[in-house]
Amino acid sequence: MEDAMSTTGNNSKNVLNSDVEIKGNLKFTGELTLEGKLEGDVQTDGLLNLGDSAVVNGNINAQSVVVRGKINGNINAKEKIEIKAKAELFGDIRATKLIVEEGVTFVGKTEVNPNKVTPTAAPARPGEAPKFPESAKPLGR
């Protein structure tokens, strides 16, 4: 029975409708659907849903973000960013997974790294065999 009682926290769903305007930073847990305007940053370990009428001027740090409205700022998602058709995004994005639908306006840089690979030395050019000294043997290749 204890497991049934632990439904609070991450299951909370909040909605800020299109008549809401916020100036300041927004912090929440669980899930938030924003249809209104926000001038400030968003910080969450949950899911941020930006509706069609949402306008955000600020940076977003979240677990996952779904973008339908307009954003002028950077998005950093630990898990996934979904940019839906007709969304407008002006800023850089970083995520483990990225989904971009047709019809999106996006101006910025992306960093999508599902395996959290760290950059290493420049890879060999296609068609060139890696160069090994005579005594060295490739490991596991």
Side-chain angles (χ1 to χ4, degrees):
M1 280 288 232
E2 276 185 31
D3 290 337
M5 300 298 286
S6 63
T7 58
T8 59
N10 286 344
N11 292 338
S12 63
K13 293 182 181 180
N14 304 294
V15 178
L16 294 174
N17 290 319
S18 58
D19 61 341
V20 174
E21 287 188 31
I22 299 173
K23 288 188 180 184
N25 296 335
L26 188 60
K27 199 172 193 180
F28 66 93
T29 57
E31 183 178 333
L32 173 69
T33 299
L34 174 65
E35 293 283 353
K37 295 183 173 114
L38 171 66
E39 201 167 307
D41 295 341
V42 177
Q43 179 72 44
T44 182
D45 287 329
L47 168 66
L48 175 63
N49 244 318
L50 297 172
D52 294 332
S53 60
V55 177
V56 176
N57 287 306
N59 297 322
I60 297 171
N61 285 300
Q63 186 72 29
S64 295
V65 181
V66 178
V67 181
R68 288 185 177 82
K70 298 176 183 179
I71 297 181
N72 190 359
N74 300 329
I75 303 176
N76 190 1
K78 292 177 189 159
E79 208 170 282
K80 176 172 68 173
I81 298 174
E82 283 186 64
I83 308 173
K84 301 292 190 178
K86 298 182 184 172
E88 294 181 20
L89 173 55
F90 298 91
D92 299 343
I93 57 177
R94 292 177 69 171
T96 305
K97 297 176 190 165
L98 174 65
I99 300 169
V100 181
E101 289 185 357
E102 188 176 347
V104 166
T105 300
F106 170 58
V107 178
K109 292 181 273 190
T110 61
E111 183 180 322
V112 180
N113 195 349
N115 301 321
K116 296 185 176 33
V117 177
T118 54
T120 56
R125 291 189 184 118
E128 272 187 29
K131 296 175 183 159
F132 295 103
E134 288 292 318
S135 61
K137 293 182 182 176
L139 298 174
R141 290 188 183 187

